[in-house]
Amino acid sequence: MQARRVSELSALQNEILESVAKGVPFATVADTLCRRAEALAPGACCTIASIDSAGLIHPVAGPSLPQTYGEAIEGLPIGPKVGSCGTAAYLGTPVEVTDIATDPLWEGFTELVLPLGLKACWSSPIKSAEGRVVGTFAFYYRETRGPSDLERQLVDTCVHLCSIAIERDEDSRRLKHLAYHDQLTGLSNRYAFNERVADSMASPQQSFGLLMLDIDNMKLVNDSMGHSVGDAMIREVGNRLASAGKEITVYRLGGDEFAVICARCSDSEKLAALARRLLDEMGQPFECDGNFIMLQITIGGVLSKMDGTSADVLLQNADLALYHAKQSARGDYIHFEPGLRTSIQCRTEQIALLDKALDEGRVFAHFQPVICIRRAKIIGVEALARIRTDEGDIISAGAFSLGLSDSKNAFRLTSRMLDQIASNMRAWMDEGLELRHVALNLSTVDFQRGNLDERLRAAFEAYAVPLHYLQIEVTENVLMNQEVASQVARLREQGMQVALDDFGTGFASLSHLKDFPLDYIKIDKSFIDNLLSDIACGAIVEALISVAQKMQIGIVAEGIESAEQATRLLEIGCPLGQGYHYFRPVDGETIATLLRSFDDAAEQQANVKNGQRKRA
């Protein structure tokens, strides 16, 4: 008899361990274990329950009991007098109740079991390897009695098997959670996102909205404040997105990129309203380690039925919408439209065009003179990039401006232009030609790559040209970045001049002029175009000239195209200008010829005056 019992227990153990090893779900393993235990202990009803970290009971298996019993004890908290199972879990020791009807542990719970004909219950706690109670294993009897020796041996085996199965189940759930969740934010991750999109697209009757977004200026935060602050900012953005509504699911895809799925959304207006709500969630500054940071995100959106018939196409179009938003509407939302593909294709072509031209040495500088309006004399030049095509045509920077959105191209172009500028400046100096400065436009990329001052200094030292001849031009949007402004100030301290380009078209206001390290302001062409026809534009230009003069900042009018504009600018006190009325951009040799002609004219005028003095 004993040998048979050992064999039966061994068979039970092997069967359950094999199921656990194969990854069979714990609920299935528990049901099998209960049925095998009941077969080995006739007259007993077996139940298995799990205990969660909050101390709540969750029935897992009880094949001989009605479903209503499990429903009645679901979520019941354990305690010192909560039947046999609740008490055993609370105390961490087995509890034997031989008569449920009279035992005080069952007071208040007898109505759950007595109507089922259950009169006694023996429950044992199931513990994890570290001793934490994770469940209970119980035998119910239909007569008032306790367990037999054989049943005790059986329960010991079953409790041990349950402990192994529960621990394996917890490990499996933990690994699944790790596989599907981002560790920094706790949000679902890219793996979960891809699976959700694929499943949703497989059910075309259920449309959904998808928003792709990322955090603006993330690199700047990491570089200036450290990655710990950057991580805190990512967590904060994730928390704000997740709290925006129960109808959405938020995913962190990696880095500073997130995705939001809005189920049952088939309306572009509804999706746009959600995007605006998410943008508004970032309105309040975020405080971290004493730093107050303004959170800003940019969003691109698609609808499953309208903007993509497959998961791959839908995701690609969402990425295109986000990319376009980053390029043209940073801090805002753009919904995908087919025309964006043409825009992206154009950018790709221009990137390739500029990259190839740089490789083949077909990028060079043209120079547009800056004129003293009163004397019609060249006092400086602005360097502008040009490309010579394979066919020999020359194209201006506007024709390949999208190519500069590639940071590598932008960095290489600046290096090429620096060499051209310094080389031409050396040639003009060697001829003794008088020129106050040569200007170069710098982008955000130039400041982000680092060592900008070393690059500028090395380029000019290679041709023995003093740095005070270099004027760097930056737009308002670039200079609004505090880190860039600090770098500009350091460059200015090294002798370089600084000009604020296209003033009036960005985010800066007059109040910012006192904070920016400037030598010149360049009034944007759009104001000069309307100088004579628009009273408001005329007033703005006149005010800018007055403010600049009082602040002792030089001022240049861009885009002068007529004698009438030049005359009006001179009347209101603008000293300098550039535009097609004077000269189009030309090569370095033509600039030398122009400078010689001015010198010759000045010499002839001086000779005439000297001759007049002699005759007098």
Side-chain angles (χ1 to χ4, degrees), residues 319-576:
D319 284 334
L320 288 175
L322 174 59
Y323 173 81
H324 189 71
K326 294 290 284 186
Q327 295 298 312
S328 62
R330 186 176 289 264
D332 208 341
Y333 166 70
I334 284 183
H335 192 102
F336 171 79
E337 57 184 45
L340 294 184
R341 287 189 171 276
T342 304
S343 174
I344 301 302
Q345 183 179 3
C346 182
R347 173 183 178 269
T348 302
E349 291 172 353
Q350 289 193 22
I351 289 174
L353 168 71
L354 180 55
D355 185 58
K356 186 170 184 286
L358 286 165
D359 285 344
E360 296 175 356
R362 291 186 286 105
V363 176
F364 57 94
H366 269 188
F367 303 90
Q368 184 173 36
V370 176
I371 305 296
C372 171
I373 298 177
R374 183 174 300 279
R375 294 190 296 155
K377 176 180 172 59
I378 298 176
I379 60 98
V381 293
E382 177 183 357
L384 300 166
R386 297 291 185 265
I387 288 179
R388 182 176 290 105
T389 66
D390 293 331
E391 295 76 24
D393 298 325
I394 295 176
I395 59 176
S396 66
F400 56 86
S401 59
L402 291 177
L404 292 172
S405 61
D406 178 80
S407 60
K408 185 183 77 170
N409 273 355
F411 183 83
R412 293 180 67 197
L413 179 67
T414 296
S415 297
R416 174 65 175 163
M417 291 294 287
L418 279 171
D419 182 76
Q420 293 262 311
I421 288 170
S423 173
N424 278 277
M425 193 69 211
R426 180 71 264 166
W428 300 328
M429 290 171 64
D430 288 345
E431 279 199 56
L433 300 173
E434 183 182 350
L435 202 62
R436 191 181 300 173
H437 71 265
V438 55
L440 171 66
N441 290 278
L442 296 179
S443 68
T444 302
V445 171
D446 294 309
F447 293 96
Q448 290 177 340
R449 291 291 292 263
N451 300 323
L452 177 59
D453 55 343
E454 294 179 13
R455 293 174 64 204
L456 299 177
R457 189 166 54 250
F460 271 57
E461 285 179 353
Y463 292 92
V465 177
L467 275 176
H468 68 258
Y469 283 109
L470 177 61
Q471 182 181 98
I472 58 173
E473 293 190 3
V474 291
T475 64
E476 301 168 33
N477 298 343
V478 173
L479 198 54
M480 286 292 287
N481 183 311
Q482 185 56 49
E483 179 62 26
V484 170
S486 299
Q487 289 189 59
V488 168
R490 290 195 295 271
L491 296 178
R492 193 163 178 255
E493 290 171 359
Q494 296 180 42
M496 286 169 265
Q497 303 171 45
V498 177
L500 181 59
D501 197 18
D502 299 335
F503 185 75
T505 61
F507 300 115
S509 66
L510 288 175
S511 63
H512 288 105
L513 295 181
K514 64 182 177 62
D515 301 319
F516 290 160
L518 298 175
D519 297 291
Y520 289 90
I521 297 170
K522 303 189 75 173
I523 304 174
D524 187 68
K525 181 181 184 298
S526 60
F527 290 100
I528 307 305
D529 287 342
N530 298 293
L531 175 65
L532 304 177
S533 59
D534 188 310
I535 295 176
C537 275
I540 291 172
V541 171
E542 195 167 348
L544 285 175
I545 293 170
S546 176
V547 169
Q549 289 174 342
K550 291 176 181 178
M551 295 181 67
Q552 297 183 331
I553 298 174
I555 192 155
V556 181
E558 295 184 288
I560 302 174
E561 295 187 351
S562 70
E564 291 78 12
Q565 290 173 341
T567 299
R568 179 56 184 157
L569 286 165
L570 191 59
E571 289 173 352
I572 59 178
C574 183
L576 306 175

Side-chain angles (χ1 to χ4, degrees), residues 237-268:
V237 169
N239 290 337
R240 294 191 188 188
L241 293 174
S243 64
K246 294 182 179 179
E247 80 278 15
I248 65 173
T249 306
V250 181
Y251 303 81
R252 184 191 175 208
L253 305 184
D256 61 351
E257 188 177 5
F258 294 81
V260 175
I261 290 180
C262 181
R264 295 181 297 278
C265 177
S266 58
D267 187 335
S268 59

Side-chain angles (χ1 to χ4, degrees), residues 7 25 30 136 158 168 173 218 282 322 348 407 429 479 503 517:
S7 176
T136 58
C158 290
R168 176 62 181 266
R173 283 188 282 111
M218 190 70 229
M282 305 301 143
L322 174 59
T348 302
S407 60
M429 290 171 64
L479 198 54
F503 185 75

